[in-house]
Amino acid sequence: KAGVTQTPRYLIKTRGQQVTLSCSPISGHRSVSWYQQTPGQGLQFLFEYFSETQRNKGNFPGRFSGRQFSNSRSEMNVSTLELGDSALYLCASSLATTGSDDTQYFGPGTRLTVL
Amino acid sequence: AQSVTQPDIHITVSEGASLELRCNYSYGATPYLFWYVQSPGQGLQLLLKYFSGDTLVQGIKGFEAEFKRSQSSFNLRKPSVHWSDAAEYFCAARSYSGNTPLVFGKGTRLSVIA
């Protein structure tokens, strides 16, 4: 079974631009979560989508948004980019079963550099 | 607030030596617990997880972890480290109750010397 895929792998943008990142979950997984990873803050939760609905949201400004499509693929968008948005953005998918085994599996990430 | 603490930022071990990476959690009730590994520029790979039952959990690549409720700990161990184990290791937790996100520790960077 193919793993979580993220595109693009690398992006360079300038301040003020916007960017869209894409994530395709493992086949059959219904939940997609997004994380931002920086050297200073570590891994921080952005949001989670399940059945096209945002189920959880982290403490990030409204410039960060996302959506999920009917095939469970997800996109996240960052508008009005700031230098501090430079980070590795990780996507994770899970079966989203209630109860025990809801393990998250991660993609390789998208490295965003804002100049 | 729910939190995960990895006290060691960086650990250096010799190849062939044993390894223990520490992880403590602060949750109202025992959470689900995970260890992930990340190689430079890569995503996170799941090493092992604890949901319930046997407190000694076996994972991939020869890793194991022991859950100790009394110490709120979930330490990762490996009897003999290989140079390829050099990477960053993250402990994570998720609450049993409801659909809540993973909370990660800050990570421990492992260096392996000959």
Side-chain angles (χ1 to χ4, degrees):
Chain A
K1 200 182 261 191
V4 178
T5 58
Q6 293 187 243
T7 56
R9 291 293 311 278
Y10 302 92
L11 266 179
I12 299 176
K13 293 286 187 178
T14 56
R15 279 182 298 175
Q17 286 187 310
Q18 75 165 15
V19 67
T20 298
L21 313 181
S22 181
C23 172
S24 292
I26 293 171
S27 177
H29 284 195
R30 300 167 65 193
S31 168
V32 172
S33 298
W34 289 89
Y35 297 83
Q36 181 195 65
Q37 185 178 26
T38 59
Q41 299 298 318
L43 280 152
Q44 294 187 286
F45 171 74
L46 280 157
F47 27 66
E48 179 196 5
Y49 286 87
F50 172 72
S51 292
E52 302 177 65
T53 301
Q54 187 178 87
R55 188 158 69 172
N56 283 300
K57 188 178 190 306
N59 189 25
F60 277 80
R63 300 186 297 108
F64 291 81
S65 63
R67 59 177 176 169
Q68 186 180 33
F69 302 94
S70 57
N71 61 358
S72 294
R73 192 177 69 85
S74 176
E75 289 181 347
M76 68 162 280
N77 183 277
V78 188
S79 62
T80 320
L81 283 166
E82 300 176 0
L83 294 178
D85 297 332
S86 294
L88 181 67
Y89 290 88
L90 292 163
C91 166
S93 75
S94 71
L95 286 169
T97 54
T98 54
S100 58
D101 196 347
D102 193 22
T103 302
Q104 292 191 3
Y105 297 89
F106 285 78
T110 294
R111 170 72 63 185
L112 172 64
T113 301
V114 182
L115 303 175
Chain B
Q2 299 167 337
S3 66
V4 175
T5 302
Q6 294 179 248
D8 304 306
I9 295 173
H10 183 206
I11 284 181
T12 300
V13 299
S14 298
E15 192 170 15
S18 63
L19 170 71
E20 182 168 31
L21 302 182
R22 297 182 291 164
C23 172
N24 294 96
Y25 62 88
S26 177
Y27 274 71
T30 301
Y32 298 128
L33 294 161
F34 307 84
W35 275 99
Y36 288 89
V37 61
Q38 184 179 37
S39 297
Q42 302 298 313
L44 276 68
Q45 181 182 21
L46 178 71
L47 284 175
L48 46 78
K49 59 189 177 184
Y50 173 77
F51 286 161
S52 64
D54 194 346
T55 57
L56 187 63
V57 181
Q58 301 298 320
I60 62 171
K61 304 185 179 188
F63 286 93
E64 66 178 27
E66 185 172 13
F67 167 68
K68 291 186 177 180
R69 185 189 307 275
S70 61
Q71 297 177 19
S72 297
S73 70
F74 188 56
N75 294 348
L76 182 71
R77 301 196 296 242
K78 187 169 184 178
S80 177
V81 169
H82 188 262
W83 64 266
S84 60
D85 293 324
E88 185 128 23
Y89 292 79
F90 292 92
C91 182
R94 185 172 67 84
S95 173
Y96 266 76
S97 57
N99 299 303
T100 57
L102 274 175
V103 175
F104 283 90
K106 292 290 190 185
T108 298
R109 184 162 63 92
L110 173 66
S111 296
V112 180
I113 59 175

